[in-house]
Amino acid sequence: METPIKIVAGRSNPELAEKIADYLGMPLCDAKAENFSDGEISVNYFESIRGSDMFIIQSTNPPADNLMELLIMIDAAKRSSAYRITAVLPYYGYARQDRKDKPRVAITAKLVANLLTQAGADRILTMDLHAPQIQGFFDIPFDHLYSSVVLIDHVKNMDIADNLVVASPDVGGVKLARKFASELGTELVIVDKRRPKANVAEVMNIIGDVKGKNVLLVDDMIDTAGTIVNAAKAIKEAGGLKIYAAATHPILSGPAIERINNSVFEKVIVTDSLVSEHDYCPKIETVTISNLFGEAIKRIYDGESVSYLFDSKNISQKITNHH
């Protein structure tokens, strides 16, 4: 007997789950998560999931209810005899606290890993972790996708590729920016910010040449947008022409939208890995990762290689063939 596949949507990003199910040509599992009047979450599956291969799609961006809901969905599936449970986290929240960088703090990335495993997840599928080594916090199979394959494809179709350089807004993001630069065949630029001493404004040093060039700033997430907007300003002052940004996770909290609207960016390209409540911003353009996740789920279910999707050539081909 073949193991049936079930795709379940949590409430953090139902549109993405719909699109993934569409890509796979199947309906979403009949399930419902709701809140009691005090806010407590309850989850109910309205169809048999016994012996099925389950993929529960839920980003764990704040509020913490999103994480709690995922844990309850995993627990309910486990207790209903699902054969295998894969937690699909397009955005893995609480990943920024991945080490003790000062005394007496928590390592939430590890805590979340423990919670997911304890709840009964057999596998994790996520994308663009804040620190790739978080994979090592898990003792269960872990698949890590890269949105760069989708974003690079989008940038290639934007007619900005000639006269382009790729820039990292800080030293930490160099690895990601290097991937973009090598795929797009461009030079790499690094914006290095440092404070001469406490409470003195940051000095931006630009390593590399941006004069007279279009620049694509690349980052894994945009939260309050301070870093990336300041980096863009420094690049503009150093003679950059048109400035774009590409980032995976649009957290966009606090003053982010206002900062982006007032920034020198032409366009800020993000994915639909999470839904953030914010005002409309004409500069933000969203690219869907549903095909990437749909293909990864299909490969996990069929027992095929997921690393095949690390190459943008494969993914664009795969997706064009699919439709």
Side-chain angles (χ1 to χ4, degrees):
M1 238 178 71
E2 202 189 335
T3 315
I5 179 173
K6 304 265 183 195
I7 309 290
V8 188
R11 289 179 294 177
S12 72
N13 199 338
E15 294 86 357
L16 178 63
E18 276 295 348
K19 286 180 185 163
I20 291 171
D22 272 356
Y23 179 85
L24 293 164
M26 58 186 298
L28 285 167
C29 175
D30 188 6
K32 191 172 188 191
E34 48 196 349
N35 296 75
F36 292 122
S37 87
D38 66 349
E40 199 174 291
I41 299 163
S42 101
V43 167
N44 205 333
Y45 292 104
F46 297 113
E47 58 185 79
S48 170
I49 55 178
R50 183 178 293 273
S52 61
D53 199 349
M54 305 217 25
F55 293 86
I56 302 175
I57 300 169
Q58 176 84 327
S59 281
T60 55
N61 46 304
D65 274 12
N66 286 331
L67 173 59
M68 195 65 197
E69 185 174 300
L70 175 59
L71 297 172
I72 295 169
M73 292 179 98
I74 293 169
D75 186 71
K78 192 81 182 163
R79 293 173 193 280
S80 313
S81 307
Y83 166 67
R84 177 173 70 172
I85 301 165
T86 303
V88 181
L89 295 85
Y91 171 69
Y92 185 105
Y94 287 91
R96 280 179 277 186
Q97 302 172 60
D98 60 351
R99 63 192 187 285
K100 284 184 71 169
D101 53 354
K102 44 186 183 284
R104 296 173 295 284
V105 293
I107 302 181
T108 57
K110 174 61 176 156
L111 173 64
V112 170
N114 290 349
L115 289 168
L116 289 166
T117 309
Q118 250 349 95
D122 298 300
R123 245 201 129 87
I124 305 290
L125 173 62
T126 188
M127 179 179 74
D128 287 359
L129 280 169
H130 190 61
Q133 60 270 25
I134 290 169
Q135 297 172 58
F137 291 170
F138 287 87
D139 292 324
I140 54 177
F142 192 106
D143 289 302
H144 186 216
L145 299 174
Y146 298 98
S147 69
S148 54
V149 290
V150 179
L151 292 169
I152 287 166
D153 215 42
H154 186 78
V155 171
K156 281 179 178 164
N157 295 327
M158 275 174 61
D159 294 342
I160 57 168
D162 47 306
N163 194 22
L164 184 71
V165 293
V166 171
S168 172
D170 53 27
V171 177
V174 171
K175 208 170 168 193
L176 180 66
R178 189 184 292 131
K179 182 163 169 65
F180 272 78
S182 77
E183 288 267 337
L184 291 165
T186 72
E187 297 290 310
L188 177 63
V189 167
I190 302 163
V191 180
D192 172 38
K193 56 175 187 197
R194 57 185 72 177
R195 294 183 188 280
K197 50 180 186 282
N199 297 333
V200 175
E202 294 173 332
V203 179
M204 297 274 195
N205 293 322
I206 294 173
I207 305 166
D209 183 23
V210 293
K211 203 172 163 62
K213 292 194 161 57
N214 297 327
V215 181
L216 176 70
L217 270 158
V218 176
D219 213 347
D220 68 323
M221 60 169 72
I222 299 180
D223 187 358
T224 58
T227 304
I228 204 158
V229 163
N230 288 339
K233 186 166 167 271
I235 286 170
K236 193 74 170 170
E237 283 162 6
L241 292 178
K242 290 185 170 176
I243 302 167
Y244 300 83
T248 310
H249 307 298
I251 300 168
L252 304 174
S253 65
I257 292 296
E258 193 186 338
R259 282 175 175 167
I260 290 170
N261 274 329
N262 300 331
S263 71
V264 297
F265 283 121
E266 305 280 325
K267 274 260 176 286
V268 174
I269 306 150
V270 297
T271 77
D272 53 357
S273 66
L274 64 119
V275 180
S276 48
E277 295 300 314
H278 60 75
D279 301 332
Y280 170 71
C281 172
K283 290 188 177 185
I284 292 175
E285 195 170 303
T286 307
V287 181
T288 187
I289 46 169
S290 55
N291 301 355
L292 180 62
F293 272 92
E295 191 57 40
I297 288 171
K298 184 175 167 307
R299 288 178 161 268
I300 291 169
Y301 177 67
D302 292 339
E304 293 177 355
S305 157
V306 173
S307 59
Y308 176 82
L309 303 176
F310 296 172
D311 189 333
S312 59
K313 287 194 287 295
N314 291 343
I315 186 84
S316 44
Q317 255 170 350
K318 199 75 200 158
I319 287 168
T320 7
N321 295 349
H322 184 90
H323 290 296

